Amino acid sequence: MKQYTAKSLEKALEQASEELGIPSEKIEYTLIEEKKGLFSKSVTIEVSFVEDALEYAKNYLKNSIESLGVPCEIDGYVDGDILHITINSERNPILIGTSGKTLQALNELVRLAVSAHFKHRHRILLDVGGYKEERYEKVARLAHREARSVQRTKTSAKLNPMTPDERRIVHTTLKGMAHIATESEGDGNNRAVVIKYID
């Protein structure tokens, strides 16, 4: 993170843009201080980077999980605008929970914490001991199987409700498949992908 001070927010963003080589509208920043005097005024902003968000998320998770008495190792990397974080502990099943529910709750918790701290929404994909990776492979296989059935019967198929990242796997897996279109339907925990036949 780095701070910039100027006479106005626009000027501070210009400074940051020039130094970092990032368009000012894409800079993530927090307003640290705004001084309004009779003859002078200044604004100080703190610019954060996606790597800062990753480090914050990793520390937040480690402290949260270890405060429950579960020692863990946390690793992560940035891919585009997504923070990929993996947790490993001797108690992975507890962190995953039934049907991945605890893992999903942890993912939402860290996403909210990072958004609140950096005043910016970051996409976070949390995994525990490779659970998500295996799950994604299963979802992709299921999507292919159902899509082939839809191609054969020309009848739409509605999959079971899935998390947003799993639905994304279905859409990505079937993109470009002949005579197949995918669409998410429903709300909240009932949101599911429908695989449709198109001419």
Side-chain angles (χ1 to χ4, degrees):
M1 285 186 270
K2 191 163 185 183
Q3 292 190 357
Y4 295 88
T5 302
K7 289 183 178 180
S8 67
L9 176 59
E10 291 73 23
K11 291 286 183 191
L13 285 169
E14 273 177 32
Q15 271 184 32
S17 175
E18 198 172 305
E19 187 177 313
L20 302 171
I22 303 170
S24 56
E25 64 273 9
K26 291 195 174 179
I27 291 174
E28 293 174 28
Y29 69 91
T30 305
L31 187 61
I32 300 296
E33 189 177 45
E34 193 169 7
K35 289 181 183 173
K36 290 184 179 177
L38 192 58
F39 300 107
S40 67
K41 63 178 186 174
S42 69
V43 170
T44 300
I45 60 169
E46 188 170 70
V47 175
S48 59
F49 307 95
V50 69
E51 290 78 14
D52 297 321
L54 177 64
E55 281 310 305
Y56 180 87
K58 284 164 60 180
N59 290 331
Y60 179 88
L61 281 166
K62 190 168 180 67
N63 292 336
S64 300
I65 293 166
E66 292 191 344
S67 71
L68 301 172
V70 180
C72 64
E73 291 298 321
I74 298 187
D75 200 8
Y77 65 93
V78 176
D79 180 18
D81 63 341
I82 304 173
L83 311 183
H84 292 263
I85 302 171
T86 304
I87 304 169
N88 274 300
S89 83
E90 291 177 359
R91 305 179 77 182
N92 281 349
I94 289 172
L95 296 176
I96 293 166
T98 308
S99 302
K101 290 253 168 52
T102 306
L103 173 55
Q104 194 178 339
L106 278 171
N107 202 131
E108 183 64 10
L109 185 69
V110 71
R111 188 186 67 76
L112 290 171
V114 169
S115 294
H117 185 80
F118 290 96
K119 308 291 187 288
H120 181 82
R121 283 174 63 97
H122 285 279
R123 275 179 60 200
I124 297 175
L125 283 181
L126 192 57
D127 197 0
V128 173
Y131 170 82
K132 273 290 184 186
E133 210 169 306
E134 287 175 24
R135 176 77 185 138
Y136 289 160
E137 286 172 9
K138 283 181 186 172
V139 167
R141 284 198 300 270
L142 170 72
H144 263 299
R145 191 168 63 244
E146 290 295 329
R148 283 196 296 271
S149 173
V150 169
Q151 282 177 326
R152 213 170 41 250
T153 64
K154 299 185 181 182
T155 304
S156 296
K158 186 173 183 177
L159 305 180
N160 288 330
M162 294 178 184
T163 58
D165 53 318
E166 289 172 359
R167 291 197 306 273
R168 202 174 294 114
I169 292 292
V170 176
H171 294 307
T172 305
T173 299
L174 302 182
K175 190 176 181 182
M177 194 169 177
H179 303 294
I180 292 295
T182 57
E183 193 176 289
S184 289
E185 292 181 359
D187 298 308
N189 293 333
N190 294 317
R191 198 154 171 78
V193 177
V194 177
I195 302 173
K196 299 179 176 181
Y197 183 87
I198 54 170
D199 287 324

